[in-house]
Amino acid sequence: MKRIPVILDGDPGHDDAIAWMVAAASHILDIKAVTTVAGNKDIENVTRNTLNVCSLFNIEAPIGKGAHGPLVVEGITAGDFHGETGLDGVDLPPSDMTLSEYSAVELMVKVLEDSHEPVVIIGTGAQTNLATLLLYRQDLKDKIRAFYIMGGGIENGNWTPAAEFNILVDPEAARIVFESGIPVIMSGLDVTEKALVYPEDVNRIREIGTPMGHIVSSWLDFFGETHAAMGYKGWPLHDPCAVLSLIKPDMFEIREAYLQVETKGLHARGGILADFEDKENFNGKVVLNIDREAFIEELIKAVEHFTGREA
Ligand code: BDR
Ligand code: CA
């Protein structure tokens, strides 16, 4: 079967790591590069986590270190949600992988230039690298099939009433991406807050009994504790939705829309507006709903894909 070439860009982060596990376990995707961006933690932490996670999931694609902060404003990080390291919960063996000699954006350019077909970029962090790529190499737009992103929320935010974290970190970058003319398939809070994981789901993952089951359930225990402290009952596993909306679209309700990023709002900076009527300006799709049971089965299948590696 012909596989879809993808670049994974994110800021691991527990849910980024699990999203990349799902991508690595998929027979449909061909991971061409993995790139990092500051967000959940600073760029050094998320890049080290990326090397560890790529070793863990046998992702052999080159890894490019990306932006240490947003295009215009000061960076923010995701506080305690992902712990001190950005990926607390279990000690991973140190990676024997090394970073590419290319930066994140240089690596994206190389992948796009070398590709004979358009590539999908899956973005699960702030969109700083994606925007920089677009600013730097307009000529490569035709080589990008779509952006599948975790970000935004048309009903509500999670960092402010209007804004979701990934968009709020770098709204100017998100605006460049959303206005690029390349389709944006947005898994925002509308769907990711329904992609809930409960303790009994984590137990099922633990009971798989493999080293990977141990690692992923330990991550989810940690992620669950930080969310429980914030009053969550189940915890939203945001980033895997961006991957699964590409490889398992039937699991979701998805609607076309004209999507705009608010960059100037006094109260709503970083918010996303979706217009479902303005057909002429449709520039993407909003993922609105998920079959939660099927989602959990996909996570379990992905964990089961990896059998051997010791924690
Ligand atoms: C997003 O913010 C990050 O903390 C998560 O990794 C996810 O990408 C959710 O708002
Ligand atoms: Ca993320």
Side-chain angles (χ1 to χ4, degrees):
M1 180 207 273
K2 197 151 168 27
R3 294 186 296 159
I4 305 168
V6 294
I7 296 170
L8 306 176
D9 181 85
D11 58 342
H14 296 79
D15 52 341
D16 300 80
I18 293 172
W20 293 354
M21 172 186 73
V22 172
S26 161
H27 301 296
I28 302 178
L29 301 183
D30 180 9
I31 302 171
K32 295 290 191 189
V34 182
T35 53
T36 66
V37 64
N40 281 325
K41 283 282 168 188
D42 61 83
I43 193 67
E44 301 303 333
N45 269 298
V46 301
T47 302
R48 185 211 47 244
N49 293 343
T50 297
L51 289 167
N52 291 343
V53 158
C54 286
S55 288
L56 190 66
F57 302 141
N58 305 318
I59 298 175
E60 283 170 0
I63 301 167
K65 184 175 176 181
H68 65 83
L71 294 184
V72 185
V73 288
E74 284 287 307
I76 52 170
T77 57
D80 294 334
F81 273 115
H82 302 268
E84 278 288 304
T85 63
L87 197 54
D88 280 13
V90 65
D91 289 333
L92 297 179
S95 174
D96 52 6
M97 290 190 173
T98 52
L99 282 175
S100 164
E101 61 186 292
Y102 298 110
S103 69
V105 173
E106 289 169 332
L107 196 52
M108 288 174 169
V109 166
K110 190 166 165 19
V111 168
L112 296 176
E113 280 180 340
D114 290 351
S115 181
H116 298 298
E117 60 181 310
V119 174
V120 170
I121 300 183
I122 302 178
T124 54
Q127 293 170 15
T128 317
N129 294 332
L130 280 43
T132 308
L133 169 70
L134 292 168
L135 290 171
Y136 175 51
R137 290 295 300 268
Q138 286 271 314
D139 60 309
L140 289 174
K141 272 186 175 180
D142 288 349
K143 288 289 194 78
I144 306 171
R145 186 179 120 190
F147 294 108
Y148 278 72
I149 62 131
M150 189 284 137
I154 60 174
E155 284 290 327
N156 59 279
N158 61 359
W159 230 251
T160 73
E164 179 278 331
F165 179 74
N166 287 342
I167 305 292
L168 187 66
V169 172
D170 198 345
E172 282 74 21
R175 184 167 170 198
I176 290 167
V177 170
F178 279 66
E179 292 183 359
S180 66
I182 298 162
V184 174
I185 292 75
M186 175 189 135
S187 288
L189 300 171
D190 313 287
V191 65
T192 68
E193 288 186 340
K194 295 170 190 144
L196 294 173
V197 175
Y198 293 99
E200 50 271 32
D201 303 315
V202 181
N203 286 339
R204 281 186 65 195
I205 291 173
R206 195 181 342 270
E207 283 160 11
I208 292 170
T210 57
M212 196 61 80
H214 168 68
I215 291 170
V216 174
S217 58
S218 303
W219 281 340
L220 288 170
D221 283 340
F222 183 88
F223 200 53
E225 278 164 28
T226 58
H227 278 79
M230 301 285 291
Y232 286 83
K233 296 279 185 286
W235 35 101
L237 203 55
H238 307 278
D239 293 339
C241 294
V243 175
L244 286 164
S245 60
L246 172 62
I247 62 178
K248 293 270 168 188
D250 293 349
M251 255 171 63
F252 299 90
E253 179 195 336
I254 302 177
R255 264 184 89 180
E256 266 194 287
Y258 173 32
L259 300 167
Q260 289 173 288
V261 184
E262 176 59 72
T263 53
K264 296 209 169 56
L266 180 59
H267 302 294
R269 180 172 154 79
I272 302 282
L273 297 165
D275 186 336
F276 295 110
E277 307 301 328
D278 190 356
K279 289 200 172 67
E280 279 185 13
N281 283 310
F282 279 178
N283 59 350
K285 295 179 184 175
V286 189
V287 185
L288 287 166
N289 219 331
I290 187 170
D291 178 342
R292 196 198 81 87
E293 302 300 323
F295 174 70
I296 299 296
E297 294 310 318
E298 287 301 321
L299 297 182
I300 288 172
K301 254 176 33 194
V303 173
E304 285 173 344
H305 175 86
F306 300 96
T307 45
R309 179 90 188 217
E310 291 302 324

